[in-house]
Amino acid sequence: MQILLDIVHVSEYVWATAHSFHRPGTPAAEAWVAGHLTTILHGRAGRAAAEITAQAEPAGLRGAKREAADTCVRYLAGHLDQLCYDTALAEGWPIATGPIEGACRHLIGDRLEITGARWGLCGAEAVLKLRAVKTTVTSTPTSPSISPASTNGSIPPLTSTTTTSRSEPQASPGECYTLRR
């Protein structure tokens, strides 16, 4: 499994470092960030870290400015295996968590956080599975896992759980529900 750091989080380190070299809000700072983020997005975060280190000494960075540059370099160098944005982009994976956080809010928060709602684990899980299927069927009618053709445009029926995976707590039949395809 590939773990990828949110590019927005990475960019915060790069911006903090840019302000060590250039005044905030200047075209020079923006160009500096664009250059280093482009390098990182092309899967060369190690190169970006080396370039920042090479620029820090001749620039005469001291104190907080040098610390910002060193922090960025340590961050990049320490997470090289999680900065493979070139692979992620080629595979069509998201590189920022905003869309995922929005989907979670839509699937979870909008339903489970309504005023007065009290949910047990099994009930919440069943509702989330239904919402996920409904959203999938509605949003992507050509989904290979659940398509309108396989569900006749409806949500699959619920069946009681008689077995659970090892990571889930055991429940008696009828207490929790899972989707049947």
Side-chain angles (χ1 to χ4, degrees):
M1 175 192 313
Q2 176 68 48
I3 296 175
L4 200 63
L5 295 178
D6 187 325
I7 190 65
V8 174
H9 185 67
V10 174
S11 71
E12 291 171 355
Y13 282 89
V14 176
W15 273 107
T17 305
H19 297 152
S20 295
F21 292 100
H22 306 283
R23 284 193 345 259
T26 62
E30 292 177 10
W32 192 91
V33 169
H36 287 290
L37 283 179
T38 299
T39 301
I40 293 167
L41 287 170
H42 280 114
R44 297 186 187 106
R47 178 179 172 182
E51 289 173 357
I52 293 168
T53 300
Q55 292 171 342
E57 196 61 42
L61 297 183
R62 302 279 183 260
K65 289 184 175 188
R66 180 60 190 243
E67 182 56 32
D70 291 344
T71 299
C72 182
V73 168
R74 281 193 304 272
Y75 181 81
L76 294 173
H79 295 93
L80 290 176
D81 61 326
Q82 298 171 337
L83 301 172
C84 304
Y85 298 111
D86 55 331
T87 302
L89 292 169
E91 294 291 329
W93 301 338
I95 61 171
T97 58
I100 295 164
E101 291 168 359
C104 288
R105 187 189 65 70
H106 171 71
L107 279 173
I108 298 169
D110 288 354
R111 181 63 179 109
L112 297 182
E113 293 178 356
I114 59 175
T115 304
R118 293 180 57 187
W119 297 94
L121 178 62
C122 294
E125 184 178 358
V127 168
L128 292 177
K129 286 180 180 179
L130 286 170
R131 287 182 62 82
V133 169
K134 182 177 184 288
T135 300
T136 302
V137 170
T138 303
S139 301
T140 57
T142 59
S143 171
S145 58
I146 300 176
S147 67
S150 67
T151 63
N152 294 326
S154 63
I155 298 172
L158 292 174
T159 59
S160 67
T161 302
T162 55
T163 61
T164 59
S165 70
R166 292 177 201 188
S167 63
E168 296 176 339
Q170 293 292 331
S172 60
E175 186 177 13
C176 289
Y177 295 91
T178 58
L179 295 172
R180 181 182 66 199
R181 293 188 207 187

